[in-house]
Amino acid sequence: TANHINKDSKDERGSLKICSKSIIFEPDDNIQPIIKIPLRDCIILFEINLTEHLFQLDVAGKVGDVVQTLHQLYRASCLDKMGDQAAMITAILQSRLARTSFDKNRFQSISETLHMECKAEMVTPLVTNPGHVCVTDANLYFQPLNGYPKPVVQITLQNVRRIYKRRHGLMPLGLEVFCTENDLCSDIYLKFYNYQDRDEVYFLIATYIENHITEHTAESYMLQWQRGHISNYQYLLHLNNLADRSCNDLSQYPVFPWIIADYSSSVLDLTKPETFRDLSKPVGALNQERLDRLVTRYQEMPEPKFMYGSHYSSPGYVLFYLVRVAPEYMLCLQNGKFDHADRMFNSIAETWKNCLDGATDFKELIPEFYENDSSFLVNSLKLDLGKRQGGKMVEDVELPPWASGPDDFLQKSQEALESPYVSEHLHEWIDIIFGYKQKGSEAVAAHNVFHPLTYEGGVDLNSIMDPNEKVALLTQILEFGQTPKQLFTTPHPQRIIPKLKSLSRTSSHSISISESPVSPNEESFEDLTEESITLAWNNILLEYKIVLYLVFYPLSPDSTLKMFSKESKTIQRSVSFSNMALSSCLILPGDTTVISSSWDNHIYFYSIAFGRQQDILMGHDDAVSKICWRDGRLYSASWDSTVKVWHCVPGETMSNKKHHFELLAELEHDVSVNTIDLNAANTMLASGTKEGTVSVWDVTTATVLHQLQCHSGTVFHAAFSPDSRHLLSTGEDSCFKVVDVQTGMLISSVTAEEPQRCFKWDGNTILSGSQSGELLIWDLLGGKVIERIKGHTGAVMSMWMNEQCNSVITGGEDKQIMFWKLQY
């Protein structure tokens, strides 16, 4: 608890939270905004004095601990690699946990007998809260390390009805406890630091409750369902639980099927088979025309083959459906803004149509569609969710004509789920999602094949030694979606319809805002195959018609390669190769292949013509910072202190042949290489490092001609003049340096007001992009700026100019792409 001291207004009282990567102040007054300060930015804010925040703690003795913890976490936030950050944060956390223990004064009774105590984390949709678990002969306790949201969580063992071992982050470390038989959400979800602790807690609870309740398996629930003892809804709920689906796990939210296919009639007729979706097929196979295209692509695809590039259940889809009841999750995880209005959950009919026709949309539904709380369909919070293209504001979800309102829609959806038709065919959908058609040859025959990373056991994280690679892969898996644990390996029996009684749910549960999980920007892993939204790509690569650019977040490696049509001013494709930032991209001659480099050490080859990843070159031991292509040779610079020259023979796109890579030369540096450039004749290469060194190399002999300490700090950009006589570089020290290539002599130095991140030049005049977003035109000989052009609101990160030097495209830190026409 603390006060936020304001110089110009009244002080605010609230909660000060020291999180793993941010400082958050949440005022008690809900009208006041939450303050979030990324730790990595703290020193930057201090240096340039943009703003200061002063907090006064209620308990003075805590100041030292808070400051020490902040220093430790700040050092972790400044580490370049995500794996190193995670490791240091874990070490800090474990150190704090080791210095504390469970407070036995929190026991409900002095006569309780302690069975075990261990460290664990309580899992909620957005946050895992570390603390201590304690099991006695009467209670299960969890005491959060930070006393938030309350000093101790207590569950009476006598009330426990179900417990499940869980995968969390693909590891067998989770345990979920339910004190109800049919509710969707658990009373507590715990994640342990080793599976031995998890199994011991499970054993203690199971031993206690085994005399009170019977543990149900998938087969036992199946028998109950077959005989009509539990409803279709209850059966799906139990299967989701058994398959590791949980409301508290963003990556494994319960999945329910689309049931109704008629969203246009004025009356919903549940006696007609055509009213219903074909439950024997996955969503991606419901439209035969789309399926034919996907099958053709699948047949041409090299191993590992997969039919669908996006999943039927992912955190992003949960956010899509629940944004009206949990807007803060989208704002938190999507950089403070909602999705584009036309991509929101606007209409039931539109969403169904897109699932039928969309090139990358194969999503199923969530349990809320068959619950009793319709708040997720209504904009009761009066959120400003944007304006659609036709000018209409996004408000409540548009319902089909047969529904008189949100409650009526849910009531009819429940009736449809429990209808005779669905009861007859639900086993077919279970075969696809939880059963024998989930994997293997049966999945292929059922057109039910997803990306290998979505399946349990698709990757062994324990075998990956590189912590950064492991973090990147885990993040990708968690964001993209996971296939449920397989529960049945033989065909699921049909329900015994003649004995079917009238069914109704005995209990249901609506997801509250605090329980509803959401995801980061869905687009980051929307489609691992980068399927084209537009299927016809005739003459797409004519000059100025398509632009490739990188969405590049230096502080948060979440990046995509996008293709943008200048004519229609729309994004044509969105390509996600990994969750690490992309650093450079180019189009090969012939305009059919894009090459992109990434911080994940790889170089990716993407076929524009066939909308899929062709190949991966694992060429470096650290992030690839820049790539160039000339005459069949690929030049790659990396933070592993090398520049590599590759002879590259592209594979045949229509076959399974891969690109052939032959390493021709390796140019060794002392430190990380940040940028490279080739001269016009392809005989010399310039490289700039993170410590300010600029080197000129003879490419034909792989020898260094000159090595010059040109800058203090990182070299941002270096380029030869058109006649190859001079080399211009700019760096973190705000200087332009001109070097004579033949002699290696520094012949000119110009200091700017701020760092210039990129430039184009003709040997005399320079067009540069500055840290503040301005475009500057320089007279190099006079050493002065001759024109300033207001450009981006953040740093200009990249720049392209055509051969005639009259058209320029710039990309900025503000995520804007700008087209410029130069007039002389």
Side-chain angles (χ1 to χ4, degrees), residues 8 20 22 37 77 97 119 140 225 254 267 339 377 387 444 483 580 594 597 652 701 749 775 779 816:
D8 304 320
S20 56
S22 301
I37 311 167
S77 72
L97 283 171
K119 298 176 289 185
L140 166 68
W225 172 76
V267 176
D339 201 355
L377 300 170
K387 186 181 292 185
V444 175
T483 300
M580 301 293 281
V594 175
S597 58
E652 296 177 18
T701 60
S749 179
L775 298 182
D779 174 8
Q816 299 291 316

Side-chain angles (χ1 to χ4, degrees), residues 411-436:
Q411 178 63 36
K412 287 185 168 66
S413 296
Q414 292 173 21
E415 291 172 5
L417 179 62
E418 305 300 342
S419 67
Y421 178 90
V422 173
S423 294
E424 280 184 46
H425 296 278
L426 187 58
H427 67 285
E428 298 172 333
W429 187 82
I430 293 171
D431 282 335
I432 291 170
I433 305 299
F434 302 104
Y436 82 111

Side-chain angles (χ1 to χ4, degrees), residues 423-636:
S423 294
E424 280 184 46
H425 296 278
L426 187 58
H427 67 285
E428 298 172 333
W429 187 82
I430 293 171
D431 282 335
I432 291 170
I433 305 299
F434 302 104
Y436 82 111
K437 291 183 179 180
Q438 186 194 89
K439 299 177 183 177
S441 59
E442 294 290 347
V444 175
H447 306 300
N448 192 38
V449 184
F450 294 86
H451 193 277
L453 288 182
T454 66
Y455 293 94
E456 184 177 26
V459 62
D460 181 8
L461 289 177
N462 290 324
S463 67
I464 300 173
M465 294 298 103
D466 184 347
N468 300 293
E469 182 183 353
K470 183 179 293 188
V471 167
L473 192 60
L474 178 59
T475 303
Q476 178 173 337
I477 292 167
L478 295 180
E479 290 183 0
F480 181 69
Q482 296 179 53
T483 300
K485 181 188 294 182
Q486 189 173 23
L487 300 178
F488 308 102
T489 55
T490 57
H492 192 290
Q494 190 175 14
R495 195 163 198 181
I496 304 171
I497 302 300
K499 298 181 181 178
L500 186 65
K501 299 177 181 178
S502 175
L503 293 169
S504 63
R505 291 209 297 276
T506 57
S507 173
S508 63
H509 187 81
S510 302
I511 304 304
S512 69
I513 291 177
S514 64
E515 294 167 328
S516 305
V518 297
S519 79
N521 190 340
E522 176 186 333
E523 191 178 60
S524 62
F525 291 99
E526 150 185 300
D527 182 11
L528 292 185
T529 62
E530 299 77 52
E531 292 170 316
S532 168
I533 296 172
T534 306
L535 296 175
W537 283 77
N538 297 328
N539 303 318
I540 196 67
L541 290 167
L542 292 176
E543 189 177 10
Y544 309 131
K545 193 169 183 181
I546 190 108
V547 178
L548 298 177
Y549 67 96
L550 306 175
V551 179
F552 179 26
Y553 307 101
L555 299 182
S556 176
D558 175 13
S559 58
T560 53
L561 176 72
K562 296 181 182 292
M563 298 185 185
F564 181 88
S565 169
K566 180 173 179 284
E567 291 183 351
S568 64
K569 298 181 181 178
T570 59
I571 293 173
Q572 299 293 312
R573 293 191 186 184
S574 180
V575 184
S576 296
F577 299 119
S578 74
N579 102 302
M580 301 293 281
L582 302 181
S583 55
S584 182
C585 67
L586 52 87
I587 305 178
L588 290 189
D591 297 340
T592 61
T593 302
V594 175
I595 309 179
S596 183
S597 58
S598 171
W599 281 8
D600 67 2
N601 312 355
H602 299 161
I603 299 168
Y604 296 89
F605 289 71
Y606 175 80
S607 170
I608 297 175
F610 292 88
R612 62 180 173 89
Q613 183 179 297
Q614 280 183 283
D615 215 341
I616 303 175
L617 172 59
M618 293 174 279
H620 289 275
D621 298 321
D622 205 338
V624 183
S625 53
K626 185 74 180 288
I627 53 174
C628 296
W629 177 275
R630 294 283 179 83
D631 295 336
R633 292 188 177 184
L634 176 67
Y635 302 79
S636 58

Side-chain angles (χ1 to χ4, degrees), residues 266-287:
S266 57
V267 176
L268 186 67
D269 188 347
L270 297 181
T271 64
K272 293 164 47 178
E274 52 268 31
T275 298
F276 299 92
R277 164 258 182 103
D278 186 347
L279 288 165
S280 69
K281 298 177 180 178
V283 170
L286 293 175
N287 181 335

